[in-house]
């Protein structure tokens, strides 16, 4: 009896028997309470009018399906002044009206459906011993969405890219940040569609977004009443990129493995250094060291060339690209390629962002072109492709690489 009570599908439900059918599936027979409370007059009644049965799908046992066969009573209200003749046992904790599965199964249907979609959800649910059709999963999701619509309109939302297929096709996801719920997913990521969506939701007060201009522009157009904030994720991402960029600059500044460990000659404006703020000082120092190291690399490259080495050989020894070496050899003096001097017409202006994309496996030229265009790139596609080609070449396996 004690084990039977543990099987109970909910409060007030008594388990009568548990049996397995030929397929190994379980049938739990249960019945409701022995009296009911009229929903109108709140008086208790034990006068039974009749029975009805509900079959509910429940959580599986050892991968086998479980069906709860629940017998519910219909009671007669015995209070004379009450207008209601009969009423049945309510089971709000166990299942929704007309539902064919218990609430705990319905929750899983909702979670899996949300995470995977109709067909994959159907396959997973079958494997887990809770067969549900894909149509049911989608119906369930739509019902959940309707419930969300009943709530007061959203005030604070987050907008970001949503990949339909990574590095291939992107849409837009919009999340209600107060309720932590997805509000909508848009087909594409464009100013027009996001602005249109925002216009349909005039209740929005705060838009949290990334730092690429697209969503900022969309919010300006579609929700001028809302204040825009950069979300924490993207702020941290930007910070990380900035740090990496600085680190890689100082990495280059130390001259990689190529340059000898000489003292870098002091600049003539070294005295001014002591009067600068610490941050400025570090940045200026980096810049100076960087310029210095470029000069040394430049001299090394020219010296190696004078020794009769080919561009490829010099590239291999210095770790720079073959094309850069060829370019450097045409220069009379070391090129000053400070980041600040770069213009948005050059893909190198977006080098940090592109490097990150490259690392993340986002390597399609067209796609990256689209991405940096949104960040303000004004150069051509072929210009970007030239840069990407050197990166691709650098990753090609080299059998005769120097140690
Ligand atoms: Zn009543």
């Amino acid at each position: 009896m004690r084990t039977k009570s543990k099987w109970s599908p909910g409060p007030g439900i008594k388990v009568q028997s548990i049996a397995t059918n030929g397929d190994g599936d379980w049938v739990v027979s249960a019945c409701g309470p022995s009296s009911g409370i009229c929903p109108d007059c709140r008086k208790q009644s034990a006068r039974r009018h009749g029975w009805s049965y509900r079959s509910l799908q429940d959580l599986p046992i050892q991968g086998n399906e479980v069906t709860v066969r629940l017998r519910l009573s219909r009671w007669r209200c015995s209070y004379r002044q009450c207008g209601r003749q009969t009423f049945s046992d309510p089971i709000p904790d166990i299942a929704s009206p007309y539902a064919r599965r218990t609430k705990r199964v319905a929750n899983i249907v909702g979670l899996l459906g949300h995470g995977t979609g109709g067909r994959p959800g159907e396959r997973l649910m079958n494997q887990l011993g809770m067969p549900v059709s894909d149509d049911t999963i989608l119906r369930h999701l739509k019902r959940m969405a309707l419930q969300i619509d009943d709530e007061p309109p959203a005030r604070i939302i987050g907008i970001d890219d949503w990949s339909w297929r990574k590095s291939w096709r992107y849409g837009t996801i919009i999340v209600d940040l107060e309720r932590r719920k997805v509000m909508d997913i848009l087909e594409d990521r464009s100013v027009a569609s996001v602005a249109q969506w925002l216009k349909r939701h005039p209740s929005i007060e705060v838009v949290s977004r990334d730092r690429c201009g697209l969503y900022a522009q969309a919010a300006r157009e579609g929700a001028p009443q809302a204040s825009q904030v950069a979300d924490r994720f993207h702020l941290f991402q930007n910070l990380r990129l900035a740090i990496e960029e600085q680190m890689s600059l100082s990495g280059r500044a130390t001259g990689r493995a190529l340059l000898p460990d000489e003292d870098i000659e002091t600049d003539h404006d070294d005295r001014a250094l002591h009067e600068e703020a610490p941050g400025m000082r570090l940045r200026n120092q980096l810049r100076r060291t960087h310029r210095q190291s470029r000069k040394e690399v430049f001299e090394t490259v020219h010296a190696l060339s004078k020794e009769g080495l080919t561009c490829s050989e010099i590239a291999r020894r210095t770790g720079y690209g073959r094309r850069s070496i060829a370019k450097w050899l045409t220069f009379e003096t070391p090129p000053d390629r400070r980041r600040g001097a770069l213009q948005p017409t050059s893909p190198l202006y977006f080098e940090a962002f592109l490097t990150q994309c490259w690392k993340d496996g986002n390597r399609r030229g067209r796609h990256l072109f689209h991405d940096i265009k949104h960040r303000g790139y004004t150069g051509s596609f072929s210009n970007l492709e030239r840069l990407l080609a050197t990166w691709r070449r650098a990753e090609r396996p080299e059998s005769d690489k120097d140690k």
Side-chain angles (χ1 to χ4, degrees), residues 29 55 75 93 109 199 241 244 272 278 336 339 361 381:
S29 300
S55 281
W75 307 98
D93 296 333
V109 171
K199 274 181 195 154
L241 284 176
E244 271 178 10
D336 187 21
R339 181 144 293 275
F381 173 65

Side-chain angles (χ1 to χ4, degrees), residues 59-114:
L59 295 179
I61 297 169
Q62 295 175 342
N64 293 315
E65 286 177 45
V66 173
T67 307
V68 176
R69 201 167 144 69
L70 190 57
R71 192 180 74 174
L72 295 169
S73 310
R74 181 157 276 277
W75 307 98
R76 202 183 286 280
C77 181
S78 45
Y79 188 51
R80 284 213 184 156
Q81 268 123 49
C82 179
R84 185 179 278 275
Q85 300 266 307
T86 63
F87 60 91
S88 62
D89 286 329
I91 47 165
D93 296 333
I94 299 162
S96 315
Y98 309 108
R100 294 176 62 188
R101 45 197 57 81
T102 56
K103 279 210 162 156
R104 46 198 188 191
V105 174
N107 282 342
I108 295 175
V109 171
L111 283 173
L112 271 184
H114 218 292

